[in-house]
Amino acid sequence: MAGTGPTSASDHHHDELVTSITNRLKQISETSFNYRLLPVPDKLRKTHKEAFLPKEVSIGPFYHHGKQWKAMEDHKWRYLQRFLEQTQKQLKECVEVIKKLADRARKCYLEKIDLNSDEFITMILVDGAFTIELFLSNRSPDRQTKNDVIFDKQKKWMISNVRRDMSLMENQLPFFVLDDLFNFAYGSQLGELPSLLELAYDFFGSGVNLKAERPRILDSDVKHLLDALRLWHLPAMQDAQGAGWKEAEAIPRALHLRAAGVKFRMSESNCLFDITFSEGVLYIPCLKLIPTTESFLRNVTALEHAYYKHDSYFLDYVAFLGNLINTRADAKLLIKKRIIDIENWLGHDERLAKTLAKDDEALANLFNSFGKESRFWTRNGSFCSVRQNLKAYYRSHWHWLKVRMKRNSVSKKKL
């Protein structure tokens, strides 16, 4: 009878095929495409290479072999030693935890990683322990040692540089690796300690005006730390993205808008993207420039290019400001209206900061470079609406302004 005989070779092959497909599906489910850690696109890197390179510390495989970060590499090992002492975990246990995560973590990087299995596990453990101890030391200064160069009060620029480096697109570990290591090390103290995301929020929020609500801070569905930083800046109530794509056309620069009757006001909103135009008044939240602002904006917009083109808040934002600030005069206007705060820009080099603040050329160049990429397709209905309303107002009022100017000119000639 059929089905009662011994398993045939074809049946065996069938089972192997099913197993192979099942394993492939499992790999895809464990690491979706959206979880890939991508390199910065070449066209962005070519024009602003320095904005994407670490200054002090490398995290992850992209810059792991760089000799210029060797000094901090030794310091990271000191953090690992402190991590083991504070948690009272055995090194063997920590290695086992990372070993279980290693395959999944490696698949998160799109490019081939030039590290063997042991080297990759070591890198993940050292960089992961460093990140966790860095956040805890920032939260509790009593954990800081006297010889810790990162928190040296005589070198305040160091912590700023490290904070910058930890938010670079190519300087990341998958967040699930950090979170699993943190939970393994401090799981018994989670009632006393903040979550890892809360610690990260405190660390990055020290230099900027972050005002995210607690539920969003605790959203663990983030790819890495830069992804979390982007999430924390988004509006509490995000606009539903439109069904179709629209071309975001350039708007007139700030001085031309003012000449057409547009008034500029600083919005009281804490969200950068809460830009509105009503009854001839353009309300824009204050952007506080600090030494790391340019690097952050370039990296977070590169992230949106890679992952969030359908939800591009930062891309739309920098393009909008890039349209407004085309010359030094435009920059001066927005500074005067307190829409751009340059008090702490370029921070620790006071001479350079005063020079650049005086002529505003650097500020104009910064946002003018963003404005060059202002023609792109977006689904962000809020920014599109503001752009359209501004252009309609400008065309209408500029037309009547020219008519009045012409009439005044004729009247003067008659006199």
Side-chain angles (χ1 to χ4, degrees):
M1 292 178 62
T4 60
T7 303
S8 66
S10 61
D11 289 339
H12 182 67
H13 179 266
H14 173 79
D15 292 340
E16 287 183 340
L17 179 60
V18 169
T19 301
S20 174
I21 294 174
T22 301
N23 290 337
R24 178 64 174 160
L25 289 171
K26 183 180 179 182
Q27 291 176 3
I28 293 173
S29 65
E30 287 180 349
T31 308
S32 68
F33 177 76
N34 288 334
Y35 241 100
R36 292 296 180 94
L37 290 162
L38 305 175
V40 173
D42 286 340
K43 69 175 184 177
L44 298 179
R45 187 195 305 280
K46 286 178 181 178
T47 53
H48 304 285
K49 181 179 178 180
E50 293 302 317
F52 303 105
L53 285 174
K55 288 186 175 182
E56 306 293 343
V57 60
S58 70
I59 299 292
F62 283 105
Y63 300 105
H64 181 69
H65 294 296
K67 294 181 180 179
Q68 57 268 57
W69 303 289
K70 178 66 169 59
M72 189 58 72
E73 192 68 24
D74 293 340
H75 199 56
K76 287 195 293 184
W77 280 82
R78 298 188 189 100
Y79 269 55
L80 172 60
Q81 186 176 41
R82 190 199 308 174
F83 174 84
L84 295 172
E85 292 171 354
Q86 292 285 344
T87 61
Q88 297 184 345
K89 297 293 185 182
Q90 296 296 318
L91 177 59
K92 182 179 180 180
E93 296 177 298
C94 295
V95 170
E96 285 298 319
V97 169
I98 299 301
K99 195 173 182 179
K100 292 176 182 178
L101 302 171
D103 286 345
R104 182 183 171 197
R106 189 183 282 269
K107 292 171 186 173
C108 287
Y109 296 94
L110 183 64
E111 292 194 339
K112 183 180 178 181
I113 298 172
D114 187 22
L115 295 169
N116 64 35
S117 178
D118 288 349
E119 290 171 336
F120 185 75
I121 291 171
T122 301
M123 178 205 69
I124 293 287
L125 177 59
V126 172
D127 289 358
F130 169 78
T131 301
I132 292 169
E133 281 300 309
L134 178 69
F135 292 168
L136 286 168
S137 295
N138 176 75
R139 176 83 173 211
S140 305
D142 58 304
R143 295 176 71 102
Q144 301 169 14
T145 59
K146 291 183 180 180
N147 61 346
D148 192 337
V149 65
I150 294 177
F151 294 99
D152 189 340
K153 290 182 173 55
Q154 302 301 318
K155 301 177 180 179
K156 294 182 179 179
W157 48 268
M158 178 62 81
I159 185 63
S160 178
N161 285 348
V162 171
R163 189 177 288 117
R164 167 199 177 274
D165 291 349
M166 301 293 285
S167 64
L168 300 181
M169 181 173 170
E170 295 179 332
N171 221 30
Q172 300 293 327
L173 293 179
F175 184 75
F176 71 82
V177 172
L178 295 173
D179 204 33
D180 282 9
L181 182 59
F182 178 77
N183 289 333
F184 164 73
Y186 292 102
S188 61
Q189 303 178 45
L190 291 184
E192 306 166 17
L193 286 175
S195 70
L196 184 60
L197 279 171
E198 287 177 296
L199 291 170
Y201 183 85
D202 286 348
F203 177 76
F204 290 110
S206 300
V208 294
N209 188 28
L210 281 176
K211 296 291 184 182
E213 295 79 13
R214 182 176 171 81
R216 206 141 44 91
I217 296 173
L218 299 177
D219 187 346
S220 60
D221 188 23
V222 294
K223 299 173 182 66
H224 43 67
L225 293 175
L226 176 60
D227 193 42
L229 265 171
R230 175 187 176 273
L231 176 68
W232 295 333
H233 278 88
L234 297 188
M237 299 295 293
Q238 297 173 35
D239 296 331
Q241 300 300 307
W245 294 83
K246 296 181 180 180
E247 185 176 13
E249 297 182 1
I251 56 174
R253 64 190 183 93
L255 281 190
H256 288 175
L257 288 173
R258 187 179 69 171
V262 174
K263 295 180 175 62
F264 290 82
R265 296 285 186 273
M266 182 187 75
S267 169
E268 296 300 324
S269 174
N270 288 316
C271 178
L272 292 176
F273 312 114
D274 193 10
I275 300 173
T276 58
F277 180 61
S278 176
E279 298 181 353
V281 182
L282 181 60
Y283 296 93
I284 306 176
C286 177
L287 172 63
K288 295 182 179 180
L289 292 183
I290 59 175
T292 59
T293 298
E294 178 179 0
S295 176
F296 171 68
L297 289 177
R298 296 204 183 282
N299 277 272
V300 77
T301 51
L303 180 71
E304 287 199 342
H305 270 293
Y307 296 106
Y308 297 108
K309 286 186 178 180
H310 64 289
D311 194 21
S312 54
Y313 281 88
F314 274 99
L315 283 171
D316 288 33
Y317 175 75
V318 296
F320 187 86
L321 286 187
N323 287 167
L324 291 181
I325 306 173
N326 190 49
T327 67
R328 291 167 55 187
D330 299 316
K332 287 181 179 179
L333 173 60
L334 296 192
I335 292 170
K336 181 180 178 181
K337 297 297 183 180
R338 297 186 298 156
I339 291 170
I340 304 289
D341 181 353
I342 61 172
E343 182 179 354
N344 296 307
W345 195 31
L346 301 172
H348 307 290
D349 189 340
E350 295 181 2
R351 180 188 59 79
L352 183 60
K354 289 179 180 178
T355 300
L356 293 177
K358 184 177 180 180
D359 65 17
D360 307 300
E361 184 176 358
L363 181 61
N365 290 339
L366 170 62
F367 283 101
N368 187 250
S369 66
F370 284 120
K372 291 177 181 178
E373 298 182 6
S374 61
R375 283 185 174 269
F376 60 91
W377 294 86
T378 180
R379 293 172 61 189
N380 194 319
S382 176
F383 274 99
C384 281
S385 177
V386 171
R387 283 176 177 270
Q388 290 169 358
N389 292 338
L390 269 174
K391 291 187 75 172
Y393 186 94
Y394 174 81
R395 288 169 180 155
S396 173
H397 284 68
W398 188 246
H399 169 74
W400 289 110
L401 179 62
K402 288 193 291 185
V403 170
R404 288 198 299 270
M405 290 172 63
K406 186 174 182 179
R407 286 175 179 172
N408 290 338
S409 177
V410 172
S411 298
K412 288 180 180 179
K413 287 180 179 180
K414 288 182 178 181
L415 292 174

